[in-house]
């Protein structure tokens, strides 16, 4: 997987270097630039990103400059970097999940307050659904789904 990723980042970096402007297709940003920025900025800043992915991005200075430029131009601030300790914690969790270890939340005993909150949440959702259904039935503000109207229109022709 990382070999393919490295190849993809190398191709993108090469294309950005060959561009006539600061963006993928020249001097004007496109929707592809938005997509590429979102991908690169996420993997640069998110603690859930594998350190290997972050390393692959750092191998191409043009990718880092690209993200920094768009961040500065659009958001007037740089993309923050995920701390190493946070990334390591996420990596530890991913490794544990990959080896079949149970998630910490699965092993956790719920407190009485958590169980009460969950129960109240389910009740609230039930009442909200009932209110929406009652509104639709009693107000007449619902969409009639049927074929009878279509059949009548066809007979008039």
């Amino acid at each position: 997987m990382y070999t393919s990723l490295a190849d993809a980042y190398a191709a993108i970096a090469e294309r950005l270097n060959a561009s006539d402007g600061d963006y993928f297709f020249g001097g004007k940003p496109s929707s592809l630039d938005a997509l590429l920025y979102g991908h690169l900025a996420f993997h640069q800043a998110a603690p859930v990103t594998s350190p290997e992915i972050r390393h692959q991005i750092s191998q191409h200075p043009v990718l880092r400059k690209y993200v920094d430029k768009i961040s500065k131009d659009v958001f007037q601030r740089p993309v923050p970097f995920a701390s190493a300790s946070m990334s390591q914690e996420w990596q530890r969790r991913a490794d544990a999940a990959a080896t079949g270890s149970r998630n910490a939340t699965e092993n956790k005993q719920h407190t009485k307050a958590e169980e009460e909150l969950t129960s109240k949440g389910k009740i609230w959702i039930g009442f909200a659904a009932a209110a929406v259904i009652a509104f639709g039935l009693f107000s007449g503000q619902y969409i009639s789904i049927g074929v009878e109207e279509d059949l009548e229109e066809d007979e008039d022709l």
Side-chain angles (χ1 to χ4, degrees), residues 27-38:
K28 190 174 178 184
S30 67
S31 57
L32 181 60
D33 290 297
L35 176 75
L36 186 57
Y37 171 80

Side-chain angles (χ1 to χ4, degrees), residues 111-142:
T111 65
K112 184 127 177 107
E114 289 173 327
E115 289 176 0
E116 185 177 334
L117 183 62
T118 301
S119 175
K120 286 181 180 180
K122 289 177 182 176
I123 292 170
W124 184 88
I125 289 173
F127 278 118
V132 169
I133 291 169
F135 175 79
L137 292 175
F138 295 124
S139 70
Q141 300 292 324
Y142 59 91

Side-chain angles (χ1 to χ4, degrees), residues 15-16 18-30 33 66 69:
R15 177 65 182 96
L16 285 171
S19 176
D20 292 335
D22 294 327
Y23 301 102
F24 203 81
F25 294 117
K28 190 174 178 184
S30 67
D33 290 297
Y66 177 79
K69 171 157 181 31

Side-chain angles (χ1 to χ4, degrees), residues 1-150:
M1 176 176 95
Y2 293 123
T3 304
S4 297
L5 183 67
D7 293 343
Y9 284 158
I12 292 168
E14 184 178 324
R15 177 65 182 96
L16 285 171
N17 278 327
S19 176
D20 292 335
D22 294 327
Y23 301 102
F24 203 81
F25 294 117
K28 190 174 178 184
S30 67
S31 57
L32 181 60
D33 290 297
L35 176 75
L36 186 57
Y37 171 80
H39 173 84
L40 293 171
F42 173 80
H43 286 296
Q44 178 177 314
V48 296
T49 296
S50 164
E52 179 64 27
I53 295 174
R54 197 171 289 118
H55 173 73
Q56 291 295 333
I57 292 172
S58 70
Q59 295 299 305
H60 304 283
V62 69
L63 298 179
R64 297 282 302 270
K65 288 178 188 174
Y66 177 79
V67 170
D68 291 343
K69 171 157 181 31
I70 293 176
S71 296
K72 180 183 166 202
D73 291 351
V74 176
F75 302 108
Q76 288 79 38
R77 64 179 57 168
V79 172
F81 287 94
S83 70
S85 62
M86 183 64 81
S87 294
Q88 290 169 353
E89 173 63 19
W90 279 102
Q91 188 63 44
R92 185 191 61 74
R93 290 181 184 189
D95 292 343
T99 59
S101 298
R102 295 191 73 188
N103 190 333
T105 57
E106 292 175 354
N107 294 331
K108 180 181 172 187
Q109 294 293 326
H110 293 288
T111 65
K112 184 127 177 107
E114 289 173 327
E115 289 176 0
E116 185 177 334
L117 183 62
T118 301
S119 175
K120 286 181 180 180
K122 289 177 182 176
I123 292 170
W124 184 88
I125 289 173
F127 278 118
V132 169
I133 291 169
F135 175 79
L137 292 175
F138 295 124
S139 70
Q141 300 292 324
Y142 59 91
I143 298 172
S144 174
I145 300 175
V147 245
E148 294 176 15
E149 294 175 11
D150 292 337

